[in-house]
Amino acid sequence: MVAKLQAVRGMNDLLPADSPRWRGAEQRLQAVLARYGYEEIRLPLVEPTELFARTIGEVTDIVEKEMYTFQDRNGDSLTLRPEGTAGVVRAGIEHGLFQGQLLRLWYQGPMFRHERPQRGRYRQFHQIGAECFGSAEPELDAELIAMTAQFWRELGLSGLRLELNSLGSREARAAYRERLQAYFRDHQAALDADSLRRLDSNPLRILDSKNPDLAALIAAAPSLPEHLDADSRAHFERLCALLDALGVAYTVNPRLVRGLDYYGRTVFEWVTDALGAQGTVCAGGRYDTLVEQLGGRPTPAIGFALGLERLLDLLAASGIDPATPREIWYLVSAPGACRAQAMLLAQQLRAAADAPTVLLDHSAGNFGKQVQRADKAGARVALILGEDELAGGTITVRMLRAAVTTQETVPRDTIHATVTRLAAQERP
Ligand code: HAM
C-alpha cells in the first residue's frame, strides 16, 4: 500500500465547485478597486526574513512564532510572506515608486502564517489588499475606508461592523505605553503567561487579549484616546466627520490596537459575529513612518487587507453566491462526419469575444444520453447535429431550461439569433 499524500495542515485546495464563487468575489472587489484608481502590483511570495522583522515588529505574534522561515541553498534566511504590506513598501523603495505623488496599489494572493488552524484561520490564506501612499490627510483615510464599505454593498453583504481607533503619534504612543506598563505592573499577579511575556516587550498587545479572566482588568486600564496628541486627535475627528458625511457608519473602539507594529494614527477593522471566533474580515490602518524607516523618502501611507477565506465564508453564511452565472451551449452529434462538423462549429462559436462556454459531447452515446449529459452540465442550449442537419447545412437548437422544451431546426449561421428569439419566448 502506498501511503496517501495529503495537503499540508492548514493549507486548502480550492476545487472547481468553489472556484466560480471565489473568482466572482475577486472580480467584484477588483472592479471597485479600479473605480478608486488602484493599480495592481504582483510581488514574490518569498522575501528576506529581515524585512518582516523590521516592519511587522520583532515582538509580534507573527514574527515571534508564526513565520515560515528557512535557509535557501546560499544560506540566506528567507520567509514566506505572512502579509503583503512589507513587500509593497520594499518594492516601492526598490523601484523608486514613491516620488511624492499619490500612489494607489492593490495586490492579491496567498499569505503564510503558522497559526493553529480552525474555522477562518489557516496556514496558507488569501488576501486582497490595498495601499495608498503619499498623503497624510484624513481625506485619504476616509476614501479608503469608504471603498471597503463599497465592497460590501457591491457583494450584497450587510452585517459587517466597522470599528475605528487612533493610535496617535509615535511619541504619544510611547507615553501611553509607559502608563499602561505601570498599570499592568501594579496588577501583575492577575496577568496570564502571555500577558506577562508582553508586559515588557509590547504591553499594548495585552489590550488585545481574549482571556475572559483579564476582561475586567483591561476594561479598567488607562485608555489610549485620552493620551492622543493634539494633531492625531484632530486627524481622527476630521476622519470621523468625513465618514459621517459619506454615510459610513462606525463605532470607535478605544481597545483596537492591531497586531502589527507599523501602525500609527488610524486603525480599523470590519468585523462580523457570523463567523465565530475569527470574525475580522478586513483590517488595516495608517503607517506614516514605515517607508522612511525602511530607507525610503518620508511617505505617509494607509492600507488594509481583506481575508478571502473569511469573506467567502461570510458570503455563504449570508446565502450570497457571487459567481457570475455561466452560459453553456452543448453540442450533440452523431459519430463520424457529423462529429467532425460539430467540432468545427464549436471552434467557430468559441472564437467570438463574448462566446458562451461551448462543450462538445465526446462520447459515442445516443442523442438521448448526450442531451441528458448536456442537462447535467448545466447547459441552457443543446445544439444537435445529426445526419439530416449535416446534409441540410442546418442545426437543431433546443432550449433545455424552458418550462416547455422548445426546439427549432435552422441554418447554422442563425444560431445566435435563434437562441435569442427562443429565450425571449421562454419568458412569460
Ligand atoms: P492582518 O490583520 O494581519 O493585517 O490581516 C488582514 C486580514 O487577513 C485579517 O483581517 C483576516 O481577514 C485575514 N487573515 C489574517 N490571518 C489569517 C489566517 N491565518 N487565516 C485566514 N485569514 C487570515 C495585515 O495583514 C496587514 N498587512 C493589513 C494592512 C495593509 N495594513 C495596512 N495595509
Side-chain angles (χ1 to χ4, degrees):
M1 267 281 279
V2 181
K4 255 202 216 144
L5 287 172
Q6 289 189 326
V8 174
R9 185 164 131 82
M11 305 201 180
N12 301 313
D13 299 310
L14 179 62
L15 301 178
D18 288 322
S19 58
R21 298 175 53 241
W22 277 68
R23 187 136 39 96
E26 288 162 3
Q27 281 169 353
R28 281 162 212 239
L29 298 177
Q30 289 168 15
V32 175
L33 284 159
R35 281 183 232 154
Y36 282 80
Y38 281 78
E39 296 177 286
E40 187 183 10
I41 185 165
R42 298 191 189 193
L43 299 168
L45 301 190
V46 175
E47 296 277 0
T49 303
E50 192 195 345
L51 175 67
F52 301 115
R54 281 175 56 189
T55 54
I56 299 169
E58 296 274 7
V59 279
T60 55
D61 284 351
I62 297 178
V63 172
E64 274 185 342
K65 51 186 190 196
E66 294 171 0
M67 296 208 300
Y68 282 89
T69 297
F70 59 96
Q71 282 203 344
D72 78 356
R73 288 174 189 278
N74 303 328
D76 297 330
S77 180
L78 304 181
T79 293
L80 290 181
R81 64 181 186 192
E83 59 104 53
T85 311
V88 174
V89 172
R90 195 260 314 132
I93 296 171
E94 187 169 335
H95 301 288
L97 303 183
F98 305 132
Q99 300 292 342
Q101 83 294 14
L102 271 190
L103 180 68
R104 294 182 175 91
L105 301 173
W106 71 269
Y107 54 87
Q108 156 175 11
M111 309 289 162
F112 304 85
R113 297 184 194 175
H114 197 275
E115 297 192 79
R116 198 169 46 76
Q118 62 178 85
R119 179 180 180 189
R121 191 161 74 190
Y122 308 100
R123 290 182 174 173
Q124 175 176 324
F125 59 97
H126 297 79
Q127 287 183 343
I128 285 190
E131 316 288 350
C132 176
F133 297 93
S135 172
E137 297 298 318
E139 278 73 9
L140 270 298
D141 309 37
E143 184 187 87
L144 181 102
I145 292 171
M147 176 170 76
T148 56
Q150 181 62 32
F151 284 162
W152 322 134
R153 272 197 297 279
E154 196 79 12
L155 290 161
L157 272 177
S158 53
L160 276 162
R161 218 167 49 244
L162 174 61
E163 298 199 347
L164 201 61
N165 195 20
S166 177
L167 300 181
S169 69
R170 189 180 284 265
E171 298 74 30
R173 215 158 48 255
Y176 173 63
R177 188 179 183 279
E178 271 178 29
R179 279 282 312 273
L180 201 62
Q181 217 161 27
Y183 169 81
F184 284 124
R185 281 225 174 89
D186 288 345
H187 299 86
Q188 200 155 340
L191 294 180
D192 60 12
D194 235 17
S195 306
L196 277 175
R197 208 170 42 81
R198 287 175 169 151
L199 185 53
D200 287 320
S201 56
N202 204 348
L204 263 71
R205 294 282 292 149
I206 301 178
L207 298 177
D208 250 4
S209 168
K210 303 280 183 289
N211 184 348
D213 297 342
L214 296 184
L217 186 66
I218 289 171
S223 133
L224 181 55
E226 286 157 23
H227 294 78
L228 277 194
D229 51 297
D231 284 352
S232 295
R233 190 186 304 275
H235 183 102
F236 193 60
E237 280 167 7
R238 176 87 183 125
L239 168 59
C240 291
L242 287 164
L243 290 176
D244 291 339
L246 291 170
V248 179
Y250 58 88
T251 45
V252 175
N253 175 0
R255 304 280 171 227
L256 181 66
V257 291
R258 308 272 301 126
L260 303 95
D261 275 359
Y262 47 63
Y263 295 114
R265 292 201 170 163
T266 310
V267 288
F268 66 95
E269 291 191 351
W270 284 97
V271 292
T272 171
D273 300 323
L275 297 179
Q278 306 302 319
T280 307
V281 174
C282 173
R286 267 209 172 268
Y287 48 97
D288 289 340
T289 54
L290 184 60
V291 175
E292 193 178 2
Q293 209 176 299
L294 283 189
R297 57 198 283 171
T299 306
I302 180 165
F304 67 85
L306 174 158
L308 283 166
E309 280 79 3
R310 293 183 194 178
L311 178 69
L312 270 293
D313 195 359
L314 181 60
L315 285 166
S318 312
I320 299 169
D321 182 355
T324 317
R326 238 184 6 148
E327 169 82 359
I328 301 174
W329 294 4
Y330 200 96
L331 268 155
V332 170
S333 61
C338 293
R339 180 73 37 89
Q341 188 60 48
M343 195 150 189
L344 179 64
L345 179 61
Q347 196 69 356
Q348 288 164 347
L349 288 170
R350 293 182 193 118
D354 58 350
T357 297
V358 182
L359 299 176
L360 179 66
D361 193 287
H362 284 282
S363 77
N366 63 32
F367 279 8
K369 286 245 168 66
Q370 292 193 41
V371 171
Q372 270 174 21
R373 265 196 296 277
D375 193 48
K376 233 176 131 185
R380 193 166 68 105
V381 178
L383 301 171
I384 304 166
L385 210 158
E387 299 295 344
D388 290 349
E389 285 88 354
L390 183 68
T394 57
I395 188 92
T396 297
V397 178
R398 184 185 293 186
M399 304 301 284
L400 299 175
R401 301 276 165 240
V404 184
T405 308
T406 48
Q407 80 170 45
E408 251 179 56
T409 302
V410 297
R412 258 172 242 154
D413 57 3
T414 64
I415 294 176
H416 283 95
T418 307
V419 169
T420 308
R421 185 163 45 76
L422 293 179
Q425 288 172 12
E426 281 175 13
R427 278 177 217 117

